[in-house]
Amino acid sequence: MRPLILLLAAVLLTSCARPSGTSSFNNLTVKGSIDSLWTRYATAADERDTTAFGALFSEDASLIFSSAPTVRGRASIQTFLGALYGPVDVTGLRVTQEDLKISGTMAAQTGTIQESFIEQNREKTEYGRFALVVEKGEDGPWRIWRLVAVMDSLSQ
């Protein structure tokens, strides 16, 4: 099932809208980095890998999820996401970009998110909206600085 999730994530991410910003080459490079972050997020969720979650976030990152207090810092985010995904089996993650703004070493992306999973032997799908801010670290890779995910409907 894991290869199917990764393939689905890759297909969906490559079909997202074009970014806005400075040069086309820079835009595509940054968009590719963001797409990679989402793919790695999907993999970490599927594998329930807290270390992999941590690698996605900057040291001073913040995570805001529906019905949960704001989580600050890489270590706390790892713990939170481990607890969030621990009891479920993620079967799909679909991210659809609506906007992308790039400025220097920071970029902001907004869009919709759909996450399918199995919890207590029941298939469920949550739908929501997100705002993502990423920054290019001094050590090179882009990392999540802020992620806000508002899940506003659930089908069972």
Side-chain angles (χ1 to χ4, degrees), residues 55-68:
L56 302 173
F57 290 86
S58 65
E59 196 62 45
D60 62 341
S62 293
L63 177 66
I64 302 167
F65 263 51
S66 299
S67 304

Side-chain angles (χ1 to χ4, degrees), residues 85-146:
Y85 287 104
V88 300
D89 179 16
V90 176
T91 57
L93 177 68
R94 179 179 181 170
V95 175
T96 304
Q97 175 183 295
E98 291 175 356
D99 294 300
L100 177 60
K101 180 71 173 178
I102 303 164
S103 181
T105 60
M106 299 206 66
Q109 181 185 56
T110 62
T112 59
I113 190 166
Q114 174 182 331
E115 188 169 44
S116 300
F117 56 94
I118 299 171
E119 182 178 37
Q120 297 176 345
N121 295 322
R122 294 180 64 193
E123 291 184 26
K124 299 179 181 182
T125 301
E126 281 189 306
Y127 303 88
R129 296 161 282 138
F130 74 90
L132 173 73
V133 179
V134 297
E135 67 179 344
K136 185 171 178 70
E138 291 179 14
D139 59 346
W142 289 84
R143 288 198 173 91
I144 299 169
W145 181 64
R146 299 288 184 268

Side-chain angles (χ1 to χ4, degrees), residues 69-83:
T70 299
V71 183
R72 298 183 196 289
R74 180 183 293 151
S76 296
I77 290 169
Q78 282 181 244
T79 300
F80 174 82
L81 292 175

